[in-house]
Amino acid sequence: MPELITFWREIDAAYMYITLVIIVVYLLIRPVVNWVVLTRTTKLLNYIVSSLLILVLFLSGIVLTTIFDRVLLATVMHCLALFGFFLTVIHIGQQFFRKKRKRV
């Protein structure tokens, strides 16, 4: 039983650390992506997105085929999904309030 409690404490800490890293990376990369979109350099944006996808697939393959813990990969995926969900909710909320202001 104490092993299970220790396991859950480690998972909770991992969620906090991974979510913090995701937020920091998002805040650091956002200006670069905005610049790429504003300058309409779609080739650079395609390169960045495809490189990120290849990197994620490559690292996922490494994690799944070696002795790394699969729980860590699941934790990262959960954090990314939650972060994406909250970004979507914020974006929809902003769009809703912008349309509401235009009507008034």
Side-chain angles (χ1 to χ4, degrees):
M1 185 71 171
E3 295 172 1
L4 184 63
I5 294 171
T6 305
F7 172 75
W8 283 112
R9 286 184 184 160
E10 290 177 11
I11 292 298
D12 290 340
Y15 272 104
M16 290 185 332
Y17 293 134
I18 292 170
T19 303
L20 182 65
V21 168
I22 290 170
I23 291 170
V24 168
V25 169
Y26 174 78
L27 293 174
L28 290 174
I29 290 181
R30 188 174 177 187
V32 174
V33 172
N34 285 337
W35 174 77
V36 168
V37 170
L38 286 174
T39 58
R40 296 185 183 194
T41 51
T42 56
K43 289 182 182 179
L44 180 60
L45 188 59
N46 288 334
Y47 169 74
I48 292 170
V49 171
S50 63
S51 297
L52 178 64
L53 181 63
I54 290 171
L55 183 64
V56 167
L57 292 175
F58 178 72
L59 290 177
S60 297
I62 288 175
V63 168
L64 292 175
T65 58
T66 61
I67 59 171
F68 289 120
D69 194 5
R70 291 183 184 181
V71 175
L72 182 61
L73 180 62
T75 305
V76 171
M77 294 302 190
H78 287 146
C79 290
L80 284 171
L82 286 172
F83 185 70
F85 173 75
F86 286 122
L87 282 178
T88 303
V89 168
I90 290 170
H91 178 72
I92 290 171
Q94 287 175 344
Q95 295 298 321
F96 176 74
F97 287 118
R98 285 182 189 158
K99 287 182 181 181
K100 194 173 186 179
R101 285 183 195 162
K102 288 181 182 179
R103 291 181 193 162
V104 174

